[in-house]
Amino acid sequence: MTTNSACSLIDMETLERIAPIIRHTAHPLRLRILDFLSSQDEPQTVTAIIEACKSPQAIVSQQLRILKDQNVLTARRDRNHVKYSVANNNVLLLLDCIRRH
Amino acid sequence: MTTNSACSLIDMETLERIAPIIRHTAHPLRLRILDFLSSQDEPQTVTAIIEACKSPQAIVSQQLRILKDQNVLTARRDRNHVKYSVANNNVLLLLDCIRRH
DNA sequence: CGCGTATATTGTGATATAACTATCTATAGT
DNA sequence: ACTATAGATAGTTATATCACAATATACGCG
């Protein structure tokens, strides 16, 4: 009976639940969006995000949807603008990881 | 001239360099491998990793290669065994993120 | 209503990733 | 040399993702 030394491995269900969120977030443009949004204290319009990313509207919009689908971002309509903000602060730890090189 | 409030966004080159590493790591089985290896204080053989993951040999071997290609793991041969260990401690922060739910 | 601005969706072709089976190489022991 | 064990690689099919172009929707205003 080879008693395993460390027994507190993260269970597979958790890994399977979290991995896609991280995988979907780990994309240059989506990280940029996340970084930008987390740097602002107000939710930002799509136009502002497009500006910050210097990327085509359709592509940014797609990425926003992906992040929203993963519950990383939330969107709320404000008159004829849609404002996005970071929904899940856990994901911001990713950015910390990256900043620490 | 709309002086941008926060100017310290992570540059795109960095994001493009780091994103694939994170993306390749954010896979249930690969995270499990990483978690296992980081829980042991000695490098582990492929067989031990297979055991810890309860996954087929070929699949584990493939994942090990992917993690090695991303310089997340290193391997060294020890007689007729190959022992893997974590090469890049930064990536372990991912596991911390996950543990903190 | 009709137009402009803001944002979302769809369709497409190229490329990447996943899981799996089968096979191959290398080494150790006899 | 023969066999068993340890590990890596190749081939395959299904599915996912990418970037992009084109089009659609939604809202506010005159």
Side-chain angles (χ1 to χ4, degrees):
Chain A
M1 176 157 165
T2 51
T3 35
N4 219 326
S5 57
C7 301
S8 55
L9 297 184
I10 300 167
D11 60 288
M12 282 309 274
E13 287 86 44
T14 301
L15 295 178
E16 276 163 13
R17 204 180 67 249
I18 307 287
I21 299 174
I22 298 177
R23 204 171 347 106
H24 281 101
T25 305
H27 172 287
L29 185 48
R30 296 199 280 273
L31 286 168
R32 155 69 57 144
I33 291 171
L34 206 58
D35 195 17
F36 172 61
L37 287 179
S38 74
S39 76
Q40 306 294 120
D41 27 272
E42 294 284 314
Q44 297 290 310
T45 67
V46 177
T47 306
I49 297 169
I50 289 169
E51 167 69 14
C53 293
K54 301 181 197 329
S55 297
Q57 178 270 325
I59 296 189
V60 170
S61 190
Q62 264 179 174
Q63 313 306 327
L64 288 172
R65 186 203 222 288
I66 291 170
L67 290 172
K68 191 160 60 108
D69 285 351
Q70 300 297 320
N71 296 309
V72 171
L73 300 183
T74 44
R76 61 163 229 269
R77 182 145 224 134
D78 177 18
R79 303 188 58 88
N80 66 331
H81 288 273
V82 177
K83 295 195 172 182
Y84 282 83
S85 55
V86 179
N88 186 339
N89 288 329
N90 292 328
V91 183
L92 296 181
L93 293 171
L94 267 189
L95 293 174
D96 289 345
C97 298
I98 296 173
R99 268 197 215 85
R100 286 182 228 163
H101 194 224
Chain B
M1 173 158 166
T2 51
T3 35
N4 220 325
S5 54
C7 302
S8 55
L9 296 185
I10 300 167
D11 60 288
M12 282 309 274
E13 288 84 45
T14 302
L15 294 179
E16 277 162 13
R17 204 179 68 250
I18 308 285
I21 299 173
I22 299 177
R23 205 170 347 106
H24 280 101
T25 305
H27 172 289
L29 185 49
R30 295 198 281 273
L31 287 168
R32 154 70 59 152
I33 290 171
L34 205 58
D35 194 19
F36 172 61
L37 286 179
S38 73
S39 77
Q40 307 293 121
D41 28 270
E42 294 285 314
Q44 297 290 311
T45 66
V46 177
T47 305
I49 297 169
I50 289 170
E51 166 71 13
C53 293
K54 300 181 198 329
S55 297
Q57 179 270 325
I59 296 190
V60 170
S61 190
Q62 265 179 175
Q63 313 306 327
L64 288 172
R65 187 201 220 286
I66 291 170
L67 289 172
K68 191 160 60 109
D69 285 350
Q70 300 297 321
N71 295 310
V72 171
L73 299 184
T74 44
R76 60 163 230 268
R77 182 148 223 128
D78 178 19
R79 303 187 57 88
N80 67 331
H81 288 272
V82 178
K83 296 195 173 182
Y84 282 84
S85 55
V86 179
N88 185 339
N89 288 330
N90 291 328
V91 184
L92 296 183
L93 293 171
L94 267 190
L95 293 175
D96 288 345
C97 297
I98 296 173
R99 268 196 215 87
R100 286 181 228 165
H101 191 221

